[in-house]
Amino acid sequence: MASTAHRHTRRPSVRPAPRRAGLWGVRAVGLYFGGSAVLNAVYTVRIAHRLIGWFRDSAWVPPYRPVLAALEPVAPAVVLATAAFESVVGYHLVRNRRTSGALRWAQAWVLGLCPALPWPYWVPNAASAVVFEVVRRRAAAPVRAQAGVVSSASPPIGSREASGA
């Protein structure tokens, strides 16, 4: 009977680079959202009425126009709420906490803005949602596979079982 000890061996040549890249991607998205929160709290709140009006006039999905028109009188509060949301998402991503959920919220946020933005301004938002999904999948990849743990039916190359010894 063949031994199954070879199935869970660590290959020293395989580095956990995808996990590290996923972590850096998560932090980069977190810094992006944190920076957006600061920008909205410091600058955008001053032009909030014009911005929400521009969103209202640019909306290409019918329900957005009346909703944005209703939000225009309280535009600074909407922008500050946006900054609070972005700071919470950024905090979770920079601290590497609840990353999958925070990246899903980030995706929902950028995709939710798309119908209020005219062409071509919504394109970077749609593209960033795809990037956020790639980052989420890389960060959520199983740690075992990325740490170099082999889990296959065939023995590792160069082992005694592979050489027939």
Side-chain angles (χ1 to χ4, degrees):
M1 187 163 170
S3 169
T4 59
H6 68 275
R7 290 188 183 177
H8 299 288
T9 59
R10 184 174 175 91
R11 289 186 188 171
S13 63
V14 179
R15 287 179 265 135
R19 177 84 173 139
R20 185 173 296 131
L23 176 64
W24 283 107
V26 167
R27 288 193 174 145
V29 174
L31 289 173
Y32 169 73
F33 264 76
S36 296
V38 170
L39 177 71
N40 284 328
V42 173
Y43 173 71
T44 310
V45 75
R46 290 188 246 160
I47 61 164
H49 291 287
R50 282 187 293 154
L51 182 70
I52 298 293
W54 182 69
F55 283 166
R56 180 200 63 229
D57 296 339
S58 305
W60 45 272
V61 172
Y64 271 64
R65 286 182 188 236
V67 169
L68 290 167
L71 292 175
E72 200 168 353
V74 291
V78 171
V79 171
L80 289 175
T82 297
F85 170 79
E86 289 170 336
S87 65
V88 168
V89 169
Y91 171 80
H92 282 291
L93 294 175
V94 168
R95 300 281 303 195
N96 201 28
R97 300 178 62 213
R98 299 181 178 115
T99 56
S100 184
L103 285 166
R104 290 288 187 185
W105 279 107
Q107 284 178 303
W109 182 253
V110 296
L111 289 175
L113 280 176
C114 285
L117 297 170
W119 171 264
Y121 297 108
W122 61 266
V123 175
N125 275 23
S128 64
V130 173
V131 170
F132 296 167
E133 180 63 19
V134 170
V135 168
R136 189 189 70 79
R137 288 183 182 200
R138 289 202 68 172
V143 177
R144 280 180 45 153
Q146 292 176 351
V149 176
V150 178
S151 181
S152 65
S154 61
I157 296 172
S159 67
R160 292 184 118 180
E161 291 90 8
S163 64

